[in-house]
């Protein structure tokens, strides 16, 4: 198939991990006979340097015309002055809004070879397979902001329609997995959370096969590390989802492993590792490319509907995580390029029929 993919390497380690991810997509295209075209654009701090804005019009236009967008990371100390008028993060938030990608999927699993890196007792990690569905274009992130000399405010607003579309997607995903949905809110304090919970309760009868539970976010922050294996799909609003998924990534052993897919009404999606720009690692061939490479598997699956290709990338990563090489965040000494090359070599030997591929369950669709 033909597909046009816009890449937004961004700042810090973004360019290195994105280059590794693009190499994987090129290998998949070559081995499966697809025609993927790539177009690189600026976002974040590098875009501020070049044009004074974190989301140049050319970037937005290119992304709107693409089949999928692959992003590295944005931000860095150069642009972190809290009083700055333009910030790299505005590029990412503006792009999510412009693309209408209201649902952010963040799958969490713990690779058996990496349990020793997790801060949790290993017996709690068996069978962990959670799909977080984070609302991505509403809530405190996008409300009106005010600031004067001695006060500040962030408007926290959700409409029923905004809640309903992401909750329905979470129910659909749960239906294809273990049929269990945990909705996280702060309904004992926040009015937006009471609307969230009421909306989940109203929709639940449409999915009678899915068991629903409600958790308060503070309690969820405690339960997640206590019994991570007991969750299937977790749906929550923007800010809570941001915080809980960093906690989840720490449970997996490294922030460098987790991919994400941001989806809207159509097929086009925005794919990015959940880690940040890690300026201290940038340009030294130290960054773990696995989160970015696994994001390409989500891209292949959700935007291009290439399920076998997505599974091939996941199986290759699974093989490398079992056997190494490992980047320093996973206790090894290998560089970004060496891990990329190991994934490429595994893909090549799979294509040649030389590697027995472990059959993985589809992390998003059961
Ligand atoms: C994430 C990041 C972003 C967010 C930042 C960079 C704006 O933390 O994707 O989780 O808060 O959404
Ligand atoms: Mg975050």
């Amino acid at each position: 198939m033909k597909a046009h993919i816009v890449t937004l390497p961004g700042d810090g380690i973004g360019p290195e991990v994105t280059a590794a991810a693009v190499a994987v997509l090129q290998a998949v295209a070559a081995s499966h006979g697809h025609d993927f075209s790539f177009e690189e654009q600026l976002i974040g701090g590098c875009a501020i340097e070049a044009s004074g804005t974190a989301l140049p019009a050319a970037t937005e236009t290119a992304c709107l015309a693409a089949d999928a967008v692959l992003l590295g990371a944005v931000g860095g100390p150069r642009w972190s002055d809290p009083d700055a008028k333009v910030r790299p993060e505005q590029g990412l938030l503006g792009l999510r809004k412009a693309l209408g990608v209201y649902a952010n999927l963040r799958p969490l699993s713990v690779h058996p070879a990496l349990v020793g890196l997790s801060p949790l007792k290993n017996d709690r990690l068996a069978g962990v397979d959670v799909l977080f569905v984070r609302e991505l274009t509403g809530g405190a992130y996008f409300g009106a902001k005010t600031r004067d000399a001695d006060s500040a405010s962030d408007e926290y607003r959700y409409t029923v329609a905004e809640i309903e579309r992401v909750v329905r997607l979470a129910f659909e995903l749960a239906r294809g997995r273990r049929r269990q949905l945990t909705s996280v809110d702060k309904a004992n304090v926040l009015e937006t959370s009471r609307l969230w919970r009421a909306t989940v309760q109203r929709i639940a009868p449409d999915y009678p096969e899915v068991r629903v539970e409600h958790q308060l976010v503070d309690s969820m922050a405690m339960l997640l590390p206590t019994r991570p294996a007991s969750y299937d799909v977790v749906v929550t609003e923007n800010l809570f989802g941001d915080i809980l998924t960093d906690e989840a990534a720490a449970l997996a052993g490294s922030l460098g492993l987790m991919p994400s897919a941001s989806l809207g009404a159509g097929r086009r999606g925005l794919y990015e590792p959940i880690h940040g720009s890690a300026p201290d690692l940038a340009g030294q061939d130290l960054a773990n490319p696995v989160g970015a490479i696994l994001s390409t598997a989500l891209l292949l699956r959700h935007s291009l509907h290439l399920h076998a290709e997505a599974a091939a990338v996941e199986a290759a990563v699974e093989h490398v995580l079992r056997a190494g090489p490992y980047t320093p965040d996973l206790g090894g000494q290998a560089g970004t390029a060496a891990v990329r090359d190991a994934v490429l070599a595994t893909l090549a030997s799979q294509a040649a029929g030389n590697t027995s591929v472990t059959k993985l369950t589809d992390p998003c669709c059961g």
Side-chain angles (χ1 to χ4, degrees):
M1 83 178 287
K2 253 175 118 76
H4 185 61
I5 299 164
V6 167
T7 62
L8 306 174
D11 307 317
I13 59 170
E16 295 159 74
V17 299
T18 304
V22 168
V24 166
L25 284 173
Q26 282 167 333
V28 167
S31 61
H32 290 77
H34 301 303
D35 179 7
F36 296 166
S37 55
F38 296 91
E39 171 185 355
E40 189 172 308
Q41 293 286 348
L42 297 173
I43 194 165
C46 59
I48 294 175
E49 300 298 312
S51 68
T53 159
L55 181 62
T59 299
E60 189 175 325
T61 308
C63 292
L64 285 166
D67 295 305
V69 180
L70 183 65
L71 186 138
V74 296
R78 248 163 107 183
W79 311 283
S80 61
D81 174 3
D83 292 326
K85 284 274 169 289
V86 283
R87 300 177 55 86
E89 292 77 9
Q90 291 164 345
L92 182 54
L93 300 185
L95 182 64
R96 289 171 176 171
K97 197 73 169 179
L99 293 176
V101 287
Y102 57 80
N104 181 222
L105 276 47
R106 297 184 165 186
L108 168 72
S109 57
V110 183
H111 194 283
L114 302 179
V115 287
L117 296 170
S118 173
L120 289 191
K121 290 202 185 87
N122 294 358
D123 59 344
R124 298 204 178 152
L125 295 167
V128 171
D129 175 14
V130 189
L131 178 59
F132 289 88
V133 182
R134 167 189 175 193
E135 199 291 326
L136 202 61
T137 52
Y141 275 64
F142 291 93
K145 296 177 190 311
T146 70
R147 175 82 179 267
D148 59 32
D150 51 17
S151 78
S153 72
D154 296 281
E155 185 193 25
Y156 211 121
R157 190 180 164 78
Y158 267 109
T159 65
V160 170
E162 283 173 323
I163 300 168
E164 181 155 353
R165 62 188 180 180
V166 70
V167 167
R168 282 199 183 275
L169 177 68
F171 269 110
E172 302 283 344
L173 291 164
R175 188 148 73 174
R177 291 173 44 107
R178 302 194 307 279
R179 297 190 294 280
Q180 191 193 312
L181 182 67
T182 304
S183 172
V184 177
D185 61 36
K186 186 72 186 173
N188 54 347
V189 175
L190 299 177
E191 205 53 50
T192 42
S193 278
R194 287 191 272 273
L195 182 66
W196 182 282
R197 192 175 285 214
T199 304
V200 174
Q201 282 164 337
R202 175 173 57 76
I203 293 170
D206 293 348
Y207 304 88
E209 66 278 53
V210 178
R211 269 169 299 142
V212 183
E213 65 162 346
H214 301 272
Q215 286 294 352
L216 296 171
V217 64
D218 50 346
S219 142
M220 189 65 185
M222 178 271 293
L223 289 168
L224 194 57
T226 312
R227 46 180 178 88
S230 64
Y231 298 101
D232 179 15
V233 177
V234 175
V235 65
T236 189
E237 56 107 293
N238 205 343
L239 183 59
F240 300 161
D242 179 45
I243 298 167
L244 288 176
T245 53
D246 264 29
E247 184 184 26
L251 303 184
S254 168
L255 211 52
L257 296 169
M258 250 174 111
S260 85
S262 302
L263 307 173
R267 278 189 176 194
R268 185 185 51 228
L270 168 64
Y271 300 86
E272 49 173 320
I274 85 150
H275 62 68
S277 62
D280 49 323
L281 305 180
Q284 300 167 65
D285 194 37
L286 290 171
N288 189 342
V290 165
I293 291 174
L294 287 175
S295 296
T296 70
L298 299 181
L299 182 158
L300 290 164
R301 179 175 298 122
H302 293 286
S303 283
L304 308 185
H305 292 205
L306 296 174
H307 297 276
E309 288 82 341
V313 171
E314 281 159 355
V317 168
E318 137 80 19
H319 184 267
V320 171
L321 289 180
R322 190 155 11 103
Y326 300 111
T327 42
D329 56 312
L330 302 180
Q333 289 174 348
T336 312
V339 174
R340 172 203 63 202
D341 290 345
V343 172
L344 292 174
T346 311
L347 278 171
S349 79
Q350 276 173 12
N354 298 334
T355 303
S356 64
V357 172
T358 325
K359 176 86 185 78
L360 295 174
T361 37
D362 185 321
C364 292
C365 313

